[in-house]
């Protein structure tokens, strides 16, 4: 399992959040006496590995199993299921129990739903006549700390659910998670939201405050000064572009999952053929913390400098007489050798991808599409990719990007691409195309595109980005500044009033309000109000802004936000909360259906 | 064996001496005193067979000792410094007016004690021992470092890997621009080729219609 991230340097006390989740889990296990078998939804298992170590579970007499349709292999007479509240998982549980009954096994069953039980799941148990045999409970795990400044709600499909299925239950989950943060850190006085889902989350949050108020009189100053809610829908351009930060590239090509990446041992220089190895990637790794947010161009240079410097020190050590204290200093430097080896191996592996002409070509097309130049060249390039039968997700990323920046495609081109896609990749993808159209990602053009206006007003395309010493967030894409982070920049510095005209051009409504004394009464910030809201918390730390992405965030966006925190004159620390950390590929995949 | 004989003198006058063995050290010492006249400070050693005479003169007072050649120089001179300090501290200005052997009766005992101390006490060579230990520690550290780094091979490998990556270094944006111009040129070539084909077709048709390759009927 992945290494639990070190949260000691977090802007707010995230450690207490994790410890609380640990405590609740251990309480669930203690309520079941004796030895027990813990059966976990595999997806949930990854999240729990960021909450608690396996060794602690074993100390409590717990055997671990993954939930599947196969019968449970264990001697324990007590079985505890911890699962997401999904009907499909309920059928697995019912299948397990029926298997046990048919074998004459007498077992005690407990089912805990994350984060809460639903009527649908209980109905499944009733239909299978197992309701009497099962004790039902809830495990309210609403957010998981991924790193010092990143929280995840672990809602993989919320974007598709909202956009295509019309299922907005995940919005309640998001609001609940924020509300729990408020219990720990105080009522958040300033709320800004952009996007249909985000505005709804803000409304739900207000209702929660009315129903179950946080006692604001207990708090001197709330630790979180502002919450900014952004829909993924507001900015679909950014996740579809190829990320160029080190961590972003790792996610693009090697798929970071819950703070670690899994790959062949041979890539990491180990001599175990055919075996997989897991590499933890979080702030506990000092070298990774230093290079994760840098443009990959720069990472290669830095790794080379470090390796060369260490080699020079070694040569110097063996050729000249050095004192013991100098040798001791060198040995201290050697402690970073495993980290350096690991990242040099990873970077070398990444560079095999990034030096391919197809990757560079794709990069060029993304920039061309974003700059809204040469419509014909983009059209022909995508057409060529379809004819070559390049990976479907690659084609779709460019196609969706193309459609969004042009506010849809002319009917002739739209129909043409649909036909070509179905001919090239198979008719079974028509459901996917339908989902994309419903979500507004690949659609017919109905109005003139606003992208050029947005691009110019927010300065999204930055020429001559200096990737080594960047002065703008555009370095994360080597020239394109993420739209979502530009909105955060404006929200923090001057509020959204100066860019209100541009906000209206983006999908969905927007909202600015103050809470506490002005609860439920929307009002726009005045300039003096903004100035007065920049308050230092008592212990001298900067005030905290919580940025919530509804529908997912990419590592490049996280890097851009961290970059903002390091700038001169920045008055806030930033914490990022998201339904899931995504990239273009995983985002597109959520719209694909498995037919048959 | 260490230090075998010691003497304190002023000019060529012996004030005190002590001999640990029956040798001719005393006679040789007197010769050395006579051969080194004057009051200037000095710091010298003379060898005689297997023994070495170390001489130190400060402020007109001469301290001399004979030592085994295995004793080195550091310990005998530390001894001389020590004796000089003790002598001056004990007798002060009386040194300059004393009679020959005037202090011998009581100071020879001190000479004897210090000779024994500097000859046999292992602590006298504390620094040398520390240096030896430090040297061992240093060698062990270097050995450990060599093992960890496989004698530099691991570092060499890392540097090579980063050099390879450096060879692949590119600016994403610059590369992207070049690719864009490539696509543009490909389109241009395609257009030109299309035009040429079109012209050829037109020419063939005209040639057919005008009854000959030179198009005679049309001009």
């Amino acid at each position: 399992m992945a290494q639990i991230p070190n949260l000691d340097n977090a802007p707010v006390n995230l450690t207490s959040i994790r410890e609380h989740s640990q405590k609740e889990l251990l309480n669930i296990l203690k309520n079941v006496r004796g030895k027990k078998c813990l059966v976990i939804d595999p997806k949930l298992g990854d999240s729990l590995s960021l909450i608690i170590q396996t060794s602690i579970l074993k100390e409590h007499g717990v055997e671990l199993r993954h939930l599947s349709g196969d019968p449970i292999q264990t001697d324990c007479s007590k079985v505890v299921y911890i699962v997401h509240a999904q009907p499909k998982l309920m059928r697995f549980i019912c299948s397990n129990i029926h298997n046990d009954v048919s074998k004459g096994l007498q077992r005690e069953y407990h089912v805990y739903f994350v984060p809460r039980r639903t009527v649908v799941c209980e109905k499944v148990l009733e239909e299978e006549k197992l309701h009497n045999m099962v004790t039902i409970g809830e495990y309210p795990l609403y957010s998981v700390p991924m790193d010092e400044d990143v929280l995840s709600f672990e809602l993989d499909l919320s974007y598709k659910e909202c956009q295509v299925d019309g299922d907005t239950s995940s919005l309640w989950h998001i609001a609940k998670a924020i509300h729990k943060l408020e219990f720990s850190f105080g009522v958040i006085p300033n709320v800004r939201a952009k996007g249909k889902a985000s505005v709804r989350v803000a409304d739900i949050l207000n209702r929660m405050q009315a129903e179950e108020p946080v006692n604001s009189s207990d708090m001197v100053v709330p630790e979180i000064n502002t919450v900014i809610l952004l829909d993924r829908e507001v900015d679909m351009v950014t996740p579809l572009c190829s990320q160029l930060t080190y961590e972003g590239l790792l996610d693009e090509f090697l798929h970071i999952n819950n703070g670690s990446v899994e790959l062949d041992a041979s890539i990491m220089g180990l001599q175990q053929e055919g075996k997989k190895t897991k590499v933890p990637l979080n702030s506990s790794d000092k070298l990774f913390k230093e290079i994760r947010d840098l443009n990959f161009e720069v990472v290669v240079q830095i790794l080379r400098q470090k390796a060369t410097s260490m080699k020079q020190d070694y040569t110097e050590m063996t050729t000249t007489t050095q004192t013991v204290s100098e040798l001791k200093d060198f040995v201290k430097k050697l402690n970073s050798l495993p980290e350096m080896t690991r990242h040099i191996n990873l970077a070398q592996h990444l560079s095999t991808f990034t030096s391919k002409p197809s990757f560079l070509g794709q990069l060029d097309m993304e920039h061309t599409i974003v700059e809204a130049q040469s419509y014909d060249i983009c059209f022909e390039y995508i057409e060529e990719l379809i004819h070559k039968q390049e990976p479907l997700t690659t084609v779709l990323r460019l196609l969706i990007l193309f459609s969004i920046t042009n506010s849809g495609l002319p009917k002739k081109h739209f129909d043409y691409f649909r036909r070509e896609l179905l001919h090239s990749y198979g008719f079974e993808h028509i459901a996917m195309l339908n989902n994309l159209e419903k979500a507004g990602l690949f659609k017919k053009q109905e109005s003139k595109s606003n992208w050029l206006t947005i691009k110019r007003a927010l300065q999204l395309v930055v020429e001559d980005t200096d990737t080594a010493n960047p002065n703008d967030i555009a370095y994360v894409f080597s020239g394109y500044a993420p739209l979502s982070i530009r909105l955060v920049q404006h929200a923090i510095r001057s509020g959204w009033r100066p860019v209100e005209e541009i906000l209206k051009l983006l999908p969905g409504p927007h909202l600015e309000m103050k809470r506490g004394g002005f609860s439920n009464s929307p009002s726009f910030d005045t300039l003096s109000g903004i100035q007065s809201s920049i308050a230092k918390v008592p212990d001298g730390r900067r005030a905290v802004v919580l940025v919530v992405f509804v529908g997912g965030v990419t590592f490049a966006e996280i890097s851009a936000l961290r970059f903002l925190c390091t700038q001169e004159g920045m008055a806030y620390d930033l914490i990022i909360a998201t339904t899931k950390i995504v990239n273009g590929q995983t985002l597109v995949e959520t719209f694909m259906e498995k037919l048959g | 064996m260490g230090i075998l004989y010691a003497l304190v003198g002023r000019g060529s006058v012996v004030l005190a001496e002590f001999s640990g063995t029956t040798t001719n050290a005393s006679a040789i010492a007197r010769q050395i005193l006579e051969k080194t006249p004057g009051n200037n400070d000095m710091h010298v050693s003379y060898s005689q067979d297997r023994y070495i005479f170390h001489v130190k003169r400060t402020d007109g007072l001469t301290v001399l000792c004979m030592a085994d050649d295995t004793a080195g120089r550091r310990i005998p001179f530390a001894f001389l410094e020590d004796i000089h300090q003790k002598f001056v501290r004990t007798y002060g200005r009386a040194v300059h007016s004393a009679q020959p052997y005037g202090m011998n009766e009581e100071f020879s005992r001190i000479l004897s004690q210090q000779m024994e101390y500097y000859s046999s006490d292992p602590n006298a060579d504390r620094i040398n021992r520390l240096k030896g230990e430090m040297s061992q520690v240093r060698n062990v550290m270097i050995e450990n470092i060599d093992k960890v780094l496989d004698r530099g091979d691991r570092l060499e490998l890392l540097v090579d890997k980063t050099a390879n990556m450096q060879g692949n270094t590119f600016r994403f944006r610059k590369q992207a621009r070049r690719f864009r111009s490539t696509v543009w040129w490909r389109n241009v070539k395609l257009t030109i080729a299309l035009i040429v084909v079109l012209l050829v077709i037109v020419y063939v048709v005209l040639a057919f219609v005008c009854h000959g390759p030179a198009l005679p009927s049309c001009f």
Side-chain angles (χ1 to χ4, degrees), chain A residues 244 295 297 300-301 304 307 310-311 314 317 321-322 327-328 330-331 337 344-345 347-348 354 360-361 363-364 367-368 371 373 377 380 384 463 465 478, chain B residues 134 137-138 141-142 145-146 148-149 151-152 154-156 158-159 161-166 168-173 175-177 179-180 183-184 186-187:
Chain A
L244 298 179
N295 191 293
E297 292 177 28
V300 170
Q301 291 167 30
R304 182 169 202 213
M310 187 167 282
K311 180 172 158 53
Y314 175 75
M317 186 198 77
T321 303
Q322 285 191 342
L327 290 181
K328 195 170 74 170
F330 183 70
V331 170
L337 184 68
I344 287 175
N345 285 320
Q348 190 188 40
T354 56
L360 297 172
L363 211 59
D364 168 67
H367 283 208
T368 307
E371 290 179 16
Q373 297 176 6
I377 286 181
E380 287 168 15
E384 187 177 327
E463 297 293 334
T465 307
S478 285
Chain B
M134 289 286 276
V137 167
R138 194 175 153 281
M141 285 179 79
I142 291 177
I145 290 171
D146 275 354
V148 167
L149 294 177
R151 315 217 163 265
R154 299 235 327 242
L155 283 179
E156 193 77 46
L158 290 188
V159 172
K161 283 187 178 181
T162 56
N164 285 338
M165 284 193 287
Q166 203 82 46
N168 288 336
T169 288
F170 42 75
R171 281 187 59 86
F172 285 122
R173 193 158 182 92
Q175 189 77 15
R177 232 181 227 122
F179 189 89
R180 188 180 308 165
V183 170
W184 184 83
R186 197 179 60 192
N187 284 344

Side-chain angles (χ1 to χ4, degrees), chain B residues 18 107-117:
Chain B
F18 181 83
F107 199 76
S108 63
R109 187 169 56 256
I110 296 177
L111 287 175
S112 171
Q113 290 170 6
Q114 292 306 104
M115 281 167 62
E116 182 176 340
Y117 172 80

Side-chain angles (χ1 to χ4, degrees), chain A residues 478-513:
Chain A
S478 285
Y480 163 68
L483 171 61
S484 52
I485 310 307
R486 277 280 193 251
L487 295 182
V488 173
Q489 258 183 311
H490 280 284
I492 287 170
R493 287 181 186 167
S494 53
W496 276 342
R497 169 162 267 175
V499 292
E500 202 165 337
E501 291 305 311
I502 299 301
L503 280 180
K504 287 172 181 170
L505 299 179
L506 295 165
H510 69 278
L511 170 76
E512 286 183 277
M513 76 168 115

Side-chain angles (χ1 to χ4, degrees), chain A residues 146-216:
Chain A
M146 305 285 292
D147 216 316
E148 289 169 352
D149 52 355
V150 181
L151 290 165
S152 174
F153 306 131
E154 300 296 278
L155 297 165
D156 290 9
L157 302 175
S158 68
Y159 183 65
K160 183 207 173 215
E161 283 168 1
C162 283
Q163 295 295 320
V164 177
D165 302 334
D167 173 8
T168 58
S169 57
S170 56
L171 303 185
W172 184 92
H173 182 126
I174 295 165
K176 185 68 177 178
I178 299 173
H179 196 49
K180 288 187 87 176
L181 286 178
E182 287 184 318
F183 276 112
S184 300
F185 306 118
V187 179
I188 301 172
N190 300 295
V191 178
R192 296 195 169 103
K194 173 61 183 175
K196 186 166 46 180
S198 294
V199 169
R200 282 202 54 177
V201 169
D203 287 344
I204 297 171
L205 196 57
N206 278 337
R207 273 196 276 117
M208 283 182 174
Q209 175 65 9
E211 293 166 8
E212 193 183 359
V214 176
N215 287 317
S216 53

Side-chain angles (χ1 to χ4, degrees), chain A residues 245-454:
Chain A
T245 58
Y246 179 53
E247 191 172 21
L249 280 168
L250 285 170
D251 193 30
E252 293 272 353
F253 295 122
L254 306 178
H255 313 304
I256 296 175
N257 185 34
N258 283 295
S260 71
V261 72
E262 189 176 350
L263 23 65
D264 279 347
S266 58
I267 294 170
M268 299 303 291
L270 307 176
Q271 305 303 325
Q272 306 157 32
E273 201 58 42
K275 229 179 180 185
K276 293 275 185 178
T277 183
K278 232 170 187 180
V279 182
L281 298 168
N282 53 42
S283 294
S284 305
D285 181 335
K286 289 185 185 61
L287 177 57
F288 183 65
K289 185 174 184 177
E290 182 185 337
I291 64 179
R292 75 196 297 184
D293 295 322
L294 302 177
N295 191 293
F296 189 60
E297 292 177 28
V298 182
V299 168
V300 170
Q301 291 167 30
I302 288 180
L303 288 176
R304 182 169 202 213
Q305 278 167 28
K306 283 182 183 289
T308 305
S309 166
M310 187 167 282
K311 180 172 158 53
Q312 276 169 8
D313 287 347
Y314 175 75
T315 304
E316 196 174 294
M317 186 198 77
T318 53
T319 55
T320 64
T321 303
Q322 285 191 342
T323 65
V324 170
S325 64
E326 282 167 352
L327 290 181
K328 195 170 74 170
D329 289 343
F330 183 70
V331 170
K332 271 183 191 167
K333 285 186 194 173
L334 272 195
N335 285 334
S336 66
L337 184 68
E339 285 176 359
M340 189 185 295
T341 305
R342 184 189 311 152
H343 288 293
I344 287 175
N345 285 320
L346 282 175
Q348 190 188 40
H349 188 56
L350 280 188
S351 68
T352 61
F353 294 104
T354 56
S355 54
K356 281 179 184 173
S358 59
F359 174 75
L360 297 172
Q362 185 181 330
L363 211 59
D364 168 67
M365 275 304 119
E366 288 165 6
H367 283 208
T368 307
I369 292 169
V370 164
E371 290 179 16
Q373 297 176 6
S374 311
Y375 180 95
D376 291 340
I377 286 181
C378 303
F379 181 91
E380 287 168 15
Y381 186 83
I382 297 174
E383 181 187 23
E384 187 177 327
L385 288 185
I386 294 174
H387 292 164
K388 284 179 175 176
Q389 294 194 334
E390 295 286 342
L392 181 56
T393 51
T394 302
V395 174
L396 287 177
R397 285 174 73 166
L398 285 176
L399 188 55
I400 294 169
L401 192 59
F402 195 39
S403 175
I404 288 169
T405 53
N406 289 282
S407 209
L409 299 181
K411 177 173 163 49
K412 187 179 68 172
H413 290 166
F414 176 76
D415 291 340
Y416 175 74
F417 273 133
R418 282 171 63 98
R419 185 170 61 249
E420 292 299 306
L421 280 168
L422 295 179
H423 286 179
S424 225
Y425 296 100
F427 66 89
E428 65 269 15
H429 293 299
I430 195 165
M432 173 197 67
L433 291 177
N434 188 57
N435 287 341
L436 292 175
E437 186 172 5
K438 216 168 169 185
L441 298 180
F442 178 53
K443 61 181 183 180
K444 282 190 276 277
Q445 198 176 54
E446 293 161 356
S447 59
K448 195 178 189 306
S449 170
N450 294 318
W451 178 252
L452 271 176
T453 308
I454 295 166

Side-chain angles (χ1 to χ4, degrees), chain B residues 74-75 122-135:
Chain B
R74 210 185 48 76
I75 291 179
N123 285 333
D125 199 13
R126 187 175 307 128
I127 291 178
N128 260 359
R129 221 177 64 253
L130 276 182
K131 275 190 181 179
E133 288 177 2
M134 289 286 276
S135 188

